[in-house]
Amino acid sequence: MRSAWRGELILVLFLCGSSIPARAADDPETLIHEGIELRKAGQDARAEGYFRRAYQLAPTPRTAAQLGLAELAVDDYLNAEAHLSEALAGRDDAWILNYQKVLQDSRAQARRNLLEVEIVGAPAGATLALGSAAPSAMPQESKLWIAPNTPMDVTVSASGHKSSAFHVE
């Protein structure tokens, strides 16, 4: 009798627990707010973790922008450039439009610390593979941004064309 009652109590607690709202760690807006407070307190490395989690939960232009700004603050220029470019591609996002100049200036700052590699003559629909990574679509600008002192093998491929590989040092 006693064990049946305990089972019912556990079931009731389980059912009640399922109606509890998501934890703050699972709410992108809460994570962004906490990340902003950490950045104001000069704790950029900690803030980056909050923004990264928000981005993982909701990869929106705004979360990409916040993550990119935090990455820039901790001198992770390559990831900052990628996330800020992603954010700026969200041209119809009101938050991005409001902060577009700041985001463009921040991306320019990240790019000043990277090497620019321009790929010329790639056919339409070409893919790009960096190192051993899987191929992905060619960047719209046909430019790559790589970290200095990071040798990189690059392969450009397109259906019906011979692949082209080169090494950037």
Side-chain angles (χ1 to χ4, degrees), residues 23-132:
R23 297 182 339 212
D26 293 331
D27 177 33
E29 285 302 317
T30 300
L31 291 165
I32 288 172
H33 177 73
E34 290 175 9
I36 290 170
E37 292 305 312
L38 287 168
R39 293 236 20 234
K40 287 178 183 175
Q43 297 180 31
D44 295 321
R46 284 189 61 208
E48 180 187 4
Y50 282 83
F51 294 132
R52 186 169 312 286
R53 179 67 180 142
Y55 178 78
Q56 290 168 342
L57 291 169
T60 64
R62 181 172 173 229
T63 57
Q66 292 290 358
L67 178 55
L69 292 169
E71 288 166 337
L72 182 61
V74 297
D75 300 336
D76 184 357
Y77 302 115
L78 190 59
N79 285 318
E81 192 284 331
H83 286 118
L84 291 168
S85 291
E86 179 183 341
L88 286 163
R91 301 185 198 290
D92 58 346
D93 184 285
W95 191 91
I96 297 299
L97 292 172
N98 193 40
Y99 293 99
Q100 187 170 14
K101 175 77 169 112
V102 170
L103 297 173
Q104 288 172 336
D105 291 347
S106 297
R107 181 177 63 179
Q109 181 183 350
R111 287 179 172 178
R112 282 192 294 274
N113 291 280
L114 299 171
L115 299 173
E116 178 183 356
V117 177
E118 186 171 1
I119 299 174
V120 179
T127 60
L128 183 71
L130 302 176
S132 60

